[in-house]
Amino acid sequence: MPRESVPGDLLPQDATAVIGGRLGRRAAGRQRSPRRLVPVILAMVGVPMAAAVLRQGHCVARGWSGDEQFWRGCFSDLPAQYQLAGLDSGLTGWLTSGREPTQMPLVSGLMALLGGFVPSEAGWLEATRWYFAMWAVLLAVCAVVGVWCVARIRPERLDLATQLALSPVYVVAALLSADLVVVVLVLGAVLAHSRRRSTTAGVLLGLGLTGHAWVGIVLVALLVSARRPGDGAAALRTAAIALGTAAAIGILLLLVAPEVVTGPLMSWWAESAGYGSVLRIPALVGHPLPAWVSPATALLGWLVAIVGSILMARRAWRPASWAQVAAFAVPVVAMTGTAVPVQAALWVLPLAILAGVTWRTHLGFVAVEAVHAGALWVYIGGTSDPDVGLPGEWYAVVVLGRAIAWCFLLWSVWYTPVDNPSARPQAPFAPESRPQEPVRA
């Protein structure tokens, strides 16, 4: 049976030297056991998450308002939505206000739920700080749970969990939105499915479907990757439970507050090319595309992602896992969407790490994401002060460079060796009937 190639250390050789070097040859085997290493890896998540909170320092002190939040690079959609969407009324207001949220029901409902816990006597700035602090704690817990899921899914490759724990992507995108909650639901579904718990996997995936549309292609990847004997029935059962869970939640919300379900769909269909999308490049240089091009391209992107997933699953010399197929399909859907926000890196990178991409690919991808995030904030700030902002033409160059980086990530996922252990048929061993001749000296 083929075995996975297990790196000697959790970190690259150069980084390992910083924390004391390689583990000695005479060290006890339990020093490398997951029980000993996983708690250390989970604690590592605090490093990038603390940096993400510090990055919001100016806005925590002065508030998330005006163009200053863009110049300081501390914009976050969470406090912005609290200020603009009336989330202080809590879950009751979310169901009865009649507003049409732009986020999917799980995300908008969770944002409203936390908004109801903000002290009512707090002032504007203090209330926003309370709301941001609650989200910072929740997202930090989600980051820890996501790393734990990766460690449980690939216990022989704990270096992958270390990659996710120390990823700079948290600094760039973790506190911008609630998308990390949806990412953790997907990772939890992958873990449950790997443990043959179809019901749990289906429920988690169904909740994810109510949180973000890209989870749908993850569901397709599950069905495409089910090529081993016995996997097809489990995949169909998981998919059926996921669709049933999402449908049940959707029908219930349609009866109680239909605008919560229809609002995001209508907003998506009417949306033109947004920030981060290559379809916005013509508008940045003065030649905008018709409004229908963006949703049409998004639908075409889903078709391309499905076909690409099938080709990837068939061309792999060993059956590709669910996470490996999803790591290829999700970036395709994201790149062809109506907008590719900064937090889209959170959708893609955990699955790519789970698929086995290297530290070099990982850090290069995040570096490009950091450049794009900085350029985007300066470009948005420049709309009110063109003299100091980034011109649209230069932002178009950054968007194009980012698209090239995403294509390189796709190439890396496609050509990363599929190290998913799987038995290969072998010819039966038949010992020779005649005795061997003695070896003469």
Side-chain angles (χ1 to χ4, degrees), residues 41-50 135-151 161 164-167 169-170 174-175 180-181 183-184 187 346 350:
I41 296 173
L42 297 181
M44 293 178 181
V45 179
V47 176
M49 289 303 297
W135 268 110
V137 173
L138 177 59
L139 294 176
V141 173
C142 289
V144 172
V145 174
V147 172
W148 177 80
C149 289
V150 172
L164 186 58
L166 293 176
S167 177
V169 74
Y170 296 126
L175 299 181
L180 194 56
V181 176
V183 173
V184 171
L187 292 177
L346 293 173

PDB file of all heavy atoms in Angstrom, residues 41-50 135-151 161 164-167 169-170 174-175 180-181 183-184 187 346 350:
ATOM      1  N   ILE A  41       0.272  23.212  18.055  1.00  0.00           N
ATOM      2  CA  ILE A  41      -0.133  23.794  16.771  1.00  0.00           C
ATOM      3  C   ILE A  41      -1.347  24.693  16.956  1.00  0.00           C
ATOM      4  O   ILE A  41      -1.426  25.787  16.379  1.00  0.00           O
ATOM      5  CB  ILE A  41      -0.417  22.673  15.752  1.00  0.00           C
ATOM      6  CG1 ILE A  41       0.852  21.884  15.456  1.00  0.00           C
ATOM      7  CG2 ILE A  41      -0.981  23.254  14.463  1.00  0.00           C
ATOM      8  CD1 ILE A  41       0.629  20.657  14.605  1.00  0.00           C
ATOM      9  N   LEU A  42      -2.309  24.254  17.760  1.00  0.00           N
ATOM     10  CA  LEU A  42      -3.498  25.080  17.992  1.00  0.00           C
ATOM     11  C   LEU A  42      -3.135  26.392  18.672  1.00  0.00           C
ATOM     12  O   LEU A  42      -3.726  27.444  18.379  1.00  0.00           O
ATOM     13  CB  LEU A  42      -4.511  24.311  18.836  1.00  0.00           C
ATOM     14  CG  LEU A  42      -5.098  23.035  18.215  1.00  0.00           C
ATOM     15  CD1 LEU A  42      -6.095  22.397  19.166  1.00  0.00           C
ATOM     16  CD2 LEU A  42      -5.752  23.330  16.874  1.00  0.00           C
ATOM     17  N   ALA A  43      -2.171  26.359  19.580  1.00  0.00           N
ATOM     18  CA  ALA A  43      -1.753  27.590  20.249  1.00  0.00           C
ATOM     19  C   ALA A  43      -1.103  28.566  19.281  1.00  0.00           C
ATOM     20  O   ALA A  43      -1.139  29.789  19.494  1.00  0.00           O
ATOM     21  CB  ALA A  43      -0.788  27.263  21.387  1.00  0.00           C
ATOM     22  N   MET A  44      -0.502  28.046  18.200  1.00  0.00           N
ATOM     23  CA  MET A  44       0.141  28.912  17.212  1.00  0.00           C
ATOM     24  C   MET A  44      -0.849  29.850  16.527  1.00  0.00           C
ATOM     25  O   MET A  44      -0.464  30.903  16.011  1.00  0.00           O
ATOM     26  CB  MET A  44       0.857  28.073  16.152  1.00  0.00           C
ATOM     27  CG  MET A  44       2.048  27.289  16.656  1.00  0.00           C
ATOM     28  SD  MET A  44       2.773  26.291  15.314  1.00  0.00           S
ATOM     29  CE  MET A  44       4.107  25.468  16.186  1.00  0.00           C
ATOM     30  N   VAL A  45      -2.136  29.477  16.499  1.00  0.00           N
ATOM     31  CA  VAL A  45      -3.131  30.317  15.834  1.00  0.00           C
ATOM     32  C   VAL A  45      -3.179  31.703  16.468  1.00  0.00           C
ATOM     33  O   VAL A  45      -3.511  32.696  15.802  1.00  0.00           O
ATOM     34  CB  VAL A  45      -4.515  29.639  15.891  1.00  0.00           C
ATOM     35  CG1 VAL A  45      -5.569  30.497  15.220  1.00  0.00           C
ATOM     36  CG2 VAL A  45      -4.469  28.275  15.234  1.00  0.00           C
ATOM     37  N   GLY A  46      -2.838  31.787  17.745  1.00  0.00           N
ATOM     38  CA  GLY A  46      -2.877  33.082  18.423  1.00  0.00           C
ATOM     39  C   GLY A  46      -1.939  34.112  17.834  1.00  0.00           C
ATOM     40  O   GLY A  46      -2.190  35.318  17.965  1.00  0.00           O
ATOM     41  N   VAL A  47      -0.879  33.671  17.168  1.00  0.00           N
ATOM     42  CA  VAL A  47       0.086  34.628  16.622  1.00  0.00           C
ATOM     43  C   VAL A  47      -0.518  35.445  15.480  1.00  0.00           C
ATOM     44  O   VAL A  47      -0.572  36.689  15.554  1.00  0.00           O
ATOM     45  CB  VAL A  47       1.372  33.909  16.184  1.00  0.00           C
ATOM     46  CG1 VAL A  47       2.342  34.883  15.521  1.00  0.00           C
ATOM     47  CG2 VAL A  47       2.033  33.213  17.375  1.00  0.00           C
ATOM     48  N   PRO A  48      -1.003  34.828  14.398  1.00  0.00           N
ATOM     49  CA  PRO A  48      -1.579  35.652  13.328  1.00  0.00           C
ATOM     50  C   PRO A  48      -2.887  36.334  13.742  1.00  0.00           C
ATOM     51  O   PRO A  48      -3.174  37.447  13.269  1.00  0.00           O
ATOM     52  CB  PRO A  48      -1.793  34.665  12.180  1.00  0.00           C
ATOM     53  CG  PRO A  48      -1.899  33.343  12.837  1.00  0.00           C
ATOM     54  CD  PRO A  48      -0.989  33.397  14.014  1.00  0.00           C
ATOM     55  N   MET A  49      -3.686  35.697  14.600  1.00  0.00           N
ATOM     56  CA  MET A  49      -4.931  36.347  15.010  1.00  0.00           C
ATOM     57  C   MET A  49      -4.661  37.577  15.865  1.00  0.00           C
ATOM     58  O   MET A  49      -5.366  38.590  15.753  1.00  0.00           O
ATOM     59  CB  MET A  49      -5.811  35.352  15.766  1.00  0.00           C
ATOM     60  CG  MET A  49      -6.418  34.270  14.900  1.00  0.00           C
ATOM     61  SD  MET A  49      -7.425  34.913  13.528  1.00  0.00           S
ATOM     62  CE  MET A  49      -8.725  35.752  14.412  1.00  0.00           C
ATOM     63  N   ALA A  50      -3.632  37.514  16.712  1.00  0.00           N
ATOM     64  CA  ALA A  50      -3.266  38.711  17.479  1.00  0.00           C
ATOM     65  C   ALA A  50      -2.794  39.822  16.559  1.00  0.00           C
ATOM     66  O   ALA A  50      -3.119  41.006  16.757  1.00  0.00           O
ATOM     67  CB  ALA A  50      -2.179  38.357  18.491  1.00  0.00           C
ATOM     68  N   TRP A 135     -16.936  39.519  17.673  1.00  0.00           N
ATOM     69  CA  TRP A 135     -16.589  38.839  16.431  1.00  0.00           C
ATOM     70  C   TRP A 135     -15.136  38.389  16.434  1.00  0.00           C
ATOM     71  O   TRP A 135     -14.814  37.316  15.908  1.00  0.00           O
ATOM     72  CB  TRP A 135     -16.858  39.750  15.232  1.00  0.00           C
ATOM     73  CG  TRP A 135     -18.226  39.558  14.671  1.00  0.00           C
ATOM     74  CD1 TRP A 135     -19.267  40.434  14.724  1.00  0.00           C
ATOM     75  CD2 TRP A 135     -18.708  38.402  13.994  1.00  0.00           C
ATOM     76  NE1 TRP A 135     -20.366  39.899  14.113  1.00  0.00           N
ATOM     77  CE2 TRP A 135     -20.051  38.654  13.648  1.00  0.00           C
ATOM     78  CE3 TRP A 135     -18.148  37.179  13.638  1.00  0.00           C
ATOM     79  CZ2 TRP A 135     -20.846  37.726  12.971  1.00  0.00           C
ATOM     80  CZ3 TRP A 135     -18.928  36.245  12.954  1.00  0.00           C
ATOM     81  CH2 TRP A 135     -20.252  36.519  12.630  1.00  0.00           C
ATOM     82  N   ALA A 136     -14.244  39.173  17.000  1.00  0.00           N
ATOM     83  CA  ALA A 136     -12.836  38.781  17.065  1.00  0.00           C
ATOM     84  C   ALA A 136     -12.667  37.490  17.857  1.00  0.00           C
ATOM     85  O   ALA A 136     -11.920  36.584  17.461  1.00  0.00           O
ATOM     86  CB  ALA A 136     -12.002  39.908  17.683  1.00  0.00           C
ATOM     87  N   VAL A 137     -13.392  37.374  18.977  1.00  0.00           N
ATOM     88  CA  VAL A 137     -13.312  36.147  19.781  1.00  0.00           C
ATOM     89  C   VAL A 137     -13.900  34.972  19.017  1.00  0.00           C
ATOM     90  O   VAL A 137     -13.312  33.878  18.972  1.00  0.00           O
ATOM     91  CB  VAL A 137     -14.036  36.350  21.124  1.00  0.00           C
ATOM     92  CG1 VAL A 137     -14.107  35.035  21.897  1.00  0.00           C
ATOM     93  CG2 VAL A 137     -13.332  37.412  21.955  1.00  0.00           C
ATOM     94  N   LEU A 138     -15.061  35.168  18.406  1.00  0.00           N
ATOM     95  CA  LEU A 138     -15.709  34.081  17.666  1.00  0.00           C
ATOM     96  C   LEU A 138     -14.853  33.605  16.497  1.00  0.00           C
ATOM     97  O   LEU A 138     -14.693  32.394  16.269  1.00  0.00           O
ATOM     98  CB  LEU A 138     -17.082  34.538  17.172  1.00  0.00           C
ATOM     99  CG  LEU A 138     -17.857  33.531  16.305  1.00  0.00           C
ATOM    100  CD1 LEU A 138     -18.099  32.237  17.064  1.00  0.00           C
ATOM    101  CD2 LEU A 138     -19.165  34.129  15.817  1.00  0.00           C
ATOM    102  N   LEU A 139     -14.274  34.538  15.748  1.00  0.00           N
ATOM    103  CA  LEU A 139     -13.458  34.161  14.598  1.00  0.00           C
ATOM    104  C   LEU A 139     -12.154  33.502  15.027  1.00  0.00           C
ATOM    105  O   LEU A 139     -11.642  32.622  14.333  1.00  0.00           O
ATOM    106  CB  LEU A 139     -13.182  35.395  13.740  1.00  0.00           C
ATOM    107  CG  LEU A 139     -14.419  35.994  13.059  1.00  0.00           C
ATOM    108  CD1 LEU A 139     -14.058  37.277  12.315  1.00  0.00           C
ATOM    109  CD2 LEU A 139     -15.048  34.998  12.082  1.00  0.00           C
ATOM    110  N   ALA A 140     -11.605  33.903  16.170  1.00  0.00           N
ATOM    111  CA  ALA A 140     -10.414  33.228  16.687  1.00  0.00           C
ATOM    112  C   ALA A 140     -10.728  31.780  17.043  1.00  0.00           C
ATOM    113  O   ALA A 140      -9.941  30.866  16.758  1.00  0.00           O
ATOM    114  CB  ALA A 140      -9.869  33.980  17.904  1.00  0.00           C
ATOM    115  N   VAL A 141     -11.886  31.566  17.665  1.00  0.00           N
ATOM    116  CA  VAL A 141     -12.304  30.187  17.972  1.00  0.00           C
ATOM    117  C   VAL A 141     -12.498  29.396  16.682  1.00  0.00           C
ATOM    118  O   VAL A 141     -12.096  28.219  16.586  1.00  0.00           O
ATOM    119  CB  VAL A 141     -13.596  30.205  18.806  1.00  0.00           C
ATOM    120  CG1 VAL A 141     -14.143  28.794  18.982  1.00  0.00           C
ATOM    121  CG2 VAL A 141     -13.342  30.840  20.165  1.00  0.00           C
ATOM    122  N   CYS A 142     -13.086  30.017  15.668  1.00  0.00           N
ATOM    123  CA  CYS A 142     -13.271  29.339  14.380  1.00  0.00           C
ATOM    124  C   CYS A 142     -11.927  28.966  13.763  1.00  0.00           C
ATOM    125  O   CYS A 142     -11.782  27.877  13.183  1.00  0.00           O
ATOM    126  CB  CYS A 142     -14.056  30.231  13.424  1.00  0.00           C
ATOM    127  SG  CYS A 142     -15.803  30.413  13.846  1.00  0.00           S
ATOM    128  N   ALA A 143     -10.948  29.855  13.857  1.00  0.00           N
ATOM    129  CA  ALA A 143      -9.618  29.557  13.312  1.00  0.00           C
ATOM    130  C   ALA A 143      -9.002  28.355  14.017  1.00  0.00           C
ATOM    131  O   ALA A 143      -8.409  27.480  13.382  1.00  0.00           O
ATOM    132  CB  ALA A 143      -8.716  30.787  13.436  1.00  0.00           C
ATOM    133  N   VAL A 144      -9.140  28.290  15.342  1.00  0.00           N
ATOM    134  CA  VAL A 144      -8.602  27.151  16.102  1.00  0.00           C
ATOM    135  C   VAL A 144      -9.316  25.866  15.701  1.00  0.00           C
ATOM    136  O   VAL A 144      -8.674  24.819  15.481  1.00  0.00           O
ATOM    137  CB  VAL A 144      -8.740  27.411  17.616  1.00  0.00           C
ATOM    138  CG1 VAL A 144      -8.374  26.162  18.416  1.00  0.00           C
ATOM    139  CG2 VAL A 144      -7.851  28.576  18.035  1.00  0.00           C
ATOM    140  N   VAL A 145     -10.625  25.906  15.582  1.00  0.00           N
ATOM    141  CA  VAL A 145     -11.381  24.714  15.205  1.00  0.00           C
ATOM    142  C   VAL A 145     -10.997  24.263  13.793  1.00  0.00           C
ATOM    143  O   VAL A 145     -10.878  23.060  13.516  1.00  0.00           O
ATOM    144  CB  VAL A 145     -12.890  24.985  15.306  1.00  0.00           C
ATOM    145  CG1 VAL A 145     -13.688  23.799  14.772  1.00  0.00           C
ATOM    146  CG2 VAL A 145     -13.280  25.261  16.749  1.00  0.00           C
ATOM    147  N   GLY A 146     -10.795  25.205  12.880  1.00  0.00           N
ATOM    148  CA  GLY A 146     -10.389  24.844  11.528  1.00  0.00           C
ATOM    149  C   GLY A 146      -9.048  24.136  11.494  1.00  0.00           C
ATOM    150  O   GLY A 146      -8.872  23.139  10.788  1.00  0.00           O
ATOM    151  N   VAL A 147      -8.087  24.627  12.270  1.00  0.00           N
ATOM    152  CA  VAL A 147      -6.777  23.977  12.330  1.00  0.00           C
ATOM    153  C   VAL A 147      -6.904  22.579  12.943  1.00  0.00           C
ATOM    154  O   VAL A 147      -6.274  21.620  12.491  1.00  0.00           O
ATOM    155  CB  VAL A 147      -5.791  24.842  13.131  1.00  0.00           C
ATOM    156  CG1 VAL A 147      -4.482  24.109  13.375  1.00  0.00           C
ATOM    157  CG2 VAL A 147      -5.528  26.159  12.401  1.00  0.00           C
ATOM    158  N   TRP A 148      -7.737  22.462  13.971  1.00  0.00           N
ATOM    159  CA  TRP A 148      -7.960  21.148  14.589  1.00  0.00           C
ATOM    160  C   TRP A 148      -8.558  20.170  13.583  1.00  0.00           C
ATOM    161  O   TRP A 148      -8.178  18.997  13.542  1.00  0.00           O
ATOM    162  CB  TRP A 148      -8.883  21.319  15.794  1.00  0.00           C
ATOM    163  CG  TRP A 148      -9.231  20.020  16.470  1.00  0.00           C
ATOM    164  CD1 TRP A 148      -8.470  19.316  17.351  1.00  0.00           C
ATOM    165  CD2 TRP A 148     -10.450  19.279  16.306  1.00  0.00           C
ATOM    166  NE1 TRP A 148      -9.138  18.176  17.744  1.00  0.00           N
ATOM    167  CE2 TRP A 148     -10.356  18.131  17.124  1.00  0.00           C
ATOM    168  CE3 TRP A 148     -11.601  19.478  15.544  1.00  0.00           C
ATOM    169  CZ2 TRP A 148     -11.383  17.186  17.199  1.00  0.00           C
ATOM    170  CZ3 TRP A 148     -12.619  18.540  15.619  1.00  0.00           C
ATOM    171  CH2 TRP A 148     -12.508  17.413  16.433  1.00  0.00           C
ATOM    172  N   CYS A 149      -9.489  20.640  12.749  1.00  0.00           N
ATOM    173  CA  CYS A 149     -10.077  19.771  11.723  1.00  0.00           C
ATOM    174  C   CYS A 149      -9.016  19.286  10.748  1.00  0.00           C
ATOM    175  O   CYS A 149      -8.987  18.098  10.382  1.00  0.00           O
ATOM    176  CB  CYS A 149     -11.183  20.514  10.983  1.00  0.00           C
ATOM    177  SG  CYS A 149     -12.683  20.809  11.950  1.00  0.00           S
ATOM    178  N   VAL A 150      -8.147  20.178  10.300  1.00  0.00           N
ATOM    179  CA  VAL A 150      -7.089  19.783   9.366  1.00  0.00           C
ATOM    180  C   VAL A 150      -6.156  18.760  10.015  1.00  0.00           C
ATOM    181  O   VAL A 150      -5.739  17.784   9.388  1.00  0.00           O
ATOM    182  CB  VAL A 150      -6.304  21.017   8.883  1.00  0.00           C
ATOM    183  CG1 VAL A 150      -5.083  20.608   8.065  1.00  0.00           C
ATOM    184  CG2 VAL A 150      -7.206  21.923   8.059  1.00  0.00           C
ATOM    185  N   ALA A 151      -5.832  18.965  11.302  1.00  0.00           N
ATOM    186  CA  ALA A 151      -4.969  18.009  12.001  1.00  0.00           C
ATOM    187  C   ALA A 151      -5.626  16.644  12.121  1.00  0.00           C
ATOM    188  O   ALA A 151      -4.942  15.610  12.040  1.00  0.00           O
ATOM    189  CB  ALA A 151      -4.618  18.550  13.383  1.00  0.00           C
ATOM    190  N   ALA A 161      -1.444  21.278   9.067  1.00  0.00           N
ATOM    191  CA  ALA A 161      -2.134  22.017  10.128  1.00  0.00           C
ATOM    192  C   ALA A 161      -1.296  23.199  10.607  1.00  0.00           C
ATOM    193  O   ALA A 161      -1.837  24.267  10.927  1.00  0.00           O
ATOM    194  CB  ALA A 161      -2.454  21.079  11.295  1.00  0.00           C
ATOM    195  N   LEU A 164      -1.691  26.125   8.213  1.00  0.00           N
ATOM    196  CA  LEU A 164      -2.935  26.873   8.410  1.00  0.00           C
ATOM    197  C   LEU A 164      -2.896  27.672   9.708  1.00  0.00           C
ATOM    198  O   LEU A 164      -3.410  28.794   9.772  1.00  0.00           O
ATOM    199  CB  LEU A 164      -4.120  25.908   8.412  1.00  0.00           C
ATOM    200  CG  LEU A 164      -5.504  26.535   8.474  1.00  0.00           C
ATOM    201  CD1 LEU A 164      -5.718  27.491   7.304  1.00  0.00           C
ATOM    202  CD2 LEU A 164      -6.585  25.466   8.485  1.00  0.00           C
ATOM    203  N   ALA A 165      -2.277  27.110  10.752  1.00  0.00           N
ATOM    204  CA  ALA A 165      -2.229  27.810  12.040  1.00  0.00           C
ATOM    205  C   ALA A 165      -1.429  29.101  11.959  1.00  0.00           C
ATOM    206  O   ALA A 165      -1.794  30.106  12.582  1.00  0.00           O
ATOM    207  CB  ALA A 165      -1.643  26.892  13.101  1.00  0.00           C
ATOM    208  N   LEU A 166      -0.336  29.084  11.214  1.00  0.00           N
ATOM    209  CA  LEU A 166       0.551  30.241  11.141  1.00  0.00           C
ATOM    210  C   LEU A 166       0.332  31.070   9.878  1.00  0.00           C
ATOM    211  O   LEU A 166       1.135  31.952   9.579  1.00  0.00           O
ATOM    212  CB  LEU A 166       2.008  29.791  11.198  1.00  0.00           C
ATOM    213  CG  LEU A 166       2.471  29.169  12.518  1.00  0.00           C
ATOM    214  CD1 LEU A 166       3.914  28.679  12.396  1.00  0.00           C
ATOM    215  CD2 LEU A 166       2.343  30.168  13.664  1.00  0.00           C
ATOM    216  N   SER A 167      -0.741  30.820   9.166  1.00  0.00           N
ATOM    217  CA  SER A 167      -0.939  31.498   7.884  1.00  0.00           C
ATOM    218  C   SER A 167      -1.143  33.004   8.059  1.00  0.00           C
ATOM    219  O   SER A 167      -1.966  33.444   8.873  1.00  0.00           O
ATOM    220  CB  SER A 167      -2.152  30.906   7.164  1.00  0.00           C
ATOM    221  OG  SER A 167      -2.388  31.600   5.962  1.00  0.00           O
ATOM    222  N   VAL A 169      -2.731  34.745   6.159  1.00  0.00           N
ATOM    223  CA  VAL A 169      -4.021  35.105   5.587  1.00  0.00           C
ATOM    224  C   VAL A 169      -4.977  35.599   6.666  1.00  0.00           C
ATOM    225  O   VAL A 169      -5.875  36.406   6.390  1.00  0.00           O
ATOM    226  CB  VAL A 169      -4.629  33.897   4.828  1.00  0.00           C
ATOM    227  CG1 VAL A 169      -5.168  32.840   5.786  1.00  0.00           C
ATOM    228  CG2 VAL A 169      -5.726  34.352   3.878  1.00  0.00           C
ATOM    229  N   TYR A 170      -4.790  35.157   7.914  1.00  0.00           N
ATOM    230  CA  TYR A 170      -5.627  35.666   8.997  1.00  0.00           C
ATOM    231  C   TYR A 170      -5.408  37.162   9.197  1.00  0.00           C
ATOM    232  O   TYR A 170      -6.356  37.898   9.483  1.00  0.00           O
ATOM    233  CB  TYR A 170      -5.317  34.927  10.295  1.00  0.00           C
ATOM    234  CG  TYR A 170      -5.646  33.451  10.273  1.00  0.00           C
ATOM    235  CD1 TYR A 170      -4.685  32.495  10.607  1.00  0.00           C
ATOM    236  CD2 TYR A 170      -6.909  33.012   9.930  1.00  0.00           C
ATOM    237  CE1 TYR A 170      -4.982  31.144  10.587  1.00  0.00           C
ATOM    238  CE2 TYR A 170      -7.221  31.656   9.914  1.00  0.00           C
ATOM    239  CZ  TYR A 170      -6.254  30.732  10.243  1.00  0.00           C
ATOM    240  OH  TYR A 170      -6.544  29.404  10.223  1.00  0.00           O
ATOM    241  N   ALA A 174      -9.022  37.737   8.017  1.00  0.00           N
ATOM    242  CA  ALA A 174      -9.876  37.033   8.981  1.00  0.00           C
ATOM    243  C   ALA A 174     -10.939  37.920   9.604  1.00  0.00           C
ATOM    244  O   ALA A 174     -12.070  37.478   9.830  1.00  0.00           O
ATOM    245  CB  ALA A 174      -9.010  36.407  10.075  1.00  0.00           C
ATOM    246  N   LEU A 175     -10.614  39.170   9.899  1.00  0.00           N
ATOM    247  CA  LEU A 175     -11.533  40.052  10.614  1.00  0.00           C
ATOM    248  C   LEU A 175     -12.303  40.988   9.689  1.00  0.00           C
ATOM    249  O   LEU A 175     -12.927  41.942  10.151  1.00  0.00           O
ATOM    250  CB  LEU A 175     -10.762  40.879  11.649  1.00  0.00           C
ATOM    251  CG  LEU A 175     -10.051  40.068  12.736  1.00  0.00           C
ATOM    252  CD1 LEU A 175      -9.348  40.996  13.714  1.00  0.00           C
ATOM    253  CD2 LEU A 175     -11.025  39.162  13.466  1.00  0.00           C
ATOM    254  N   LEU A 180     -15.180  33.228   7.797  1.00  0.00           N
ATOM    255  CA  LEU A 180     -14.427  32.158   8.440  1.00  0.00           C
ATOM    256  C   LEU A 180     -15.359  31.147   9.113  1.00  0.00           C
ATOM    257  O   LEU A 180     -15.017  29.966   9.243  1.00  0.00           O
ATOM    258  CB  LEU A 180     -13.453  32.743   9.465  1.00  0.00           C
ATOM    259  CG  LEU A 180     -12.352  31.817   9.993  1.00  0.00           C
ATOM    260  CD1 LEU A 180     -11.526  31.239   8.857  1.00  0.00           C
ATOM    261  CD2 LEU A 180     -11.447  32.549  10.968  1.00  0.00           C
ATOM    262  N   VAL A 181     -16.551  31.582   9.509  1.00  0.00           N
ATOM    263  CA  VAL A 181     -17.526  30.653  10.080  1.00  0.00           C
ATOM    264  C   VAL A 181     -17.934  29.617   9.042  1.00  0.00           C
ATOM    265  O   VAL A 181     -18.016  28.411   9.328  1.00  0.00           O
ATOM    266  CB  VAL A 181     -18.751  31.426  10.590  1.00  0.00           C
ATOM    267  CG1 VAL A 181     -19.821  30.467  11.109  1.00  0.00           C
ATOM    268  CG2 VAL A 181     -18.353  32.409  11.679  1.00  0.00           C
ATOM    269  N   VAL A 183     -16.193  28.717   6.398  1.00  0.00           N
ATOM    270  CA  VAL A 183     -15.028  27.886   6.098  1.00  0.00           C
ATOM    271  C   VAL A 183     -14.899  26.763   7.115  1.00  0.00           C
ATOM    272  O   VAL A 183     -14.626  25.606   6.766  1.00  0.00           O
ATOM    273  CB  VAL A 183     -13.754  28.755   6.067  1.00  0.00           C
ATOM    274  CG1 VAL A 183     -12.513  27.882   5.921  1.00  0.00           C
ATOM    275  CG2 VAL A 183     -13.816  29.757   4.928  1.00  0.00           C
ATOM    276  N   VAL A 184     -15.121  27.071   8.394  1.00  0.00           N
ATOM    277  CA  VAL A 184     -15.010  26.047   9.435  1.00  0.00           C
ATOM    278  C   VAL A 184     -16.111  25.001   9.283  1.00  0.00           C
ATOM    279  O   VAL A 184     -15.883  23.806   9.524  1.00  0.00           O
ATOM    280  CB  VAL A 184     -15.056  26.712  10.822  1.00  0.00           C
ATOM    281  CG1 VAL A 184     -15.175  25.674  11.922  1.00  0.00           C
ATOM    282  CG2 VAL A 184     -13.807  27.541  11.042  1.00  0.00           C
ATOM    283  N   LEU A 187     -14.810  22.658   6.608  1.00  0.00           N
ATOM    284  CA  LEU A 187     -13.753  21.788   7.123  1.00  0.00           C
ATOM    285  C   LEU A 187     -14.325  20.744   8.080  1.00  0.00           C
ATOM    286  O   LEU A 187     -13.888  19.579   8.088  1.00  0.00           O
ATOM    287  CB  LEU A 187     -12.688  22.619   7.832  1.00  0.00           C
ATOM    288  CG  LEU A 187     -11.846  23.550   6.946  1.00  0.00           C
ATOM    289  CD1 LEU A 187     -10.888  24.368   7.790  1.00  0.00           C
ATOM    290  CD2 LEU A 187     -11.083  22.758   5.893  1.00  0.00           C
ATOM    291  N   LEU A 346      -9.793  33.300   2.182  1.00  0.00           N
ATOM    292  CA  LEU A 346     -10.173  32.363   3.234  1.00  0.00           C
ATOM    293  C   LEU A 346     -10.960  31.185   2.685  1.00  0.00           C
ATOM    294  O   LEU A 346     -10.943  30.096   3.260  1.00  0.00           O
ATOM    295  CB  LEU A 346     -11.006  33.074   4.304  1.00  0.00           C
ATOM    296  CG  LEU A 346     -10.295  34.133   5.144  1.00  0.00           C
ATOM    297  CD1 LEU A 346     -11.307  34.856   6.022  1.00  0.00           C
ATOM    298  CD2 LEU A 346      -9.214  33.500   6.000  1.00  0.00           C
ATOM    299  N   PRO A 350      -7.495  27.315   2.960  1.00  0.00           N
ATOM    300  CA  PRO A 350      -7.552  26.098   3.786  1.00  0.00           C
ATOM    301  C   PRO A 350      -7.700  24.820   2.978  1.00  0.00           C
ATOM    302  O   PRO A 350      -7.071  23.802   3.292  1.00  0.00           O
ATOM    303  CB  PRO A 350      -8.768  26.343   4.689  1.00  0.00           C
ATOM    304  CG  PRO A 350      -8.878  27.827   4.774  1.00  0.00           C
ATOM    305  CD  PRO A 350      -8.461  28.318   3.419  1.00  0.00           C
TER     306      PRO A 350
END
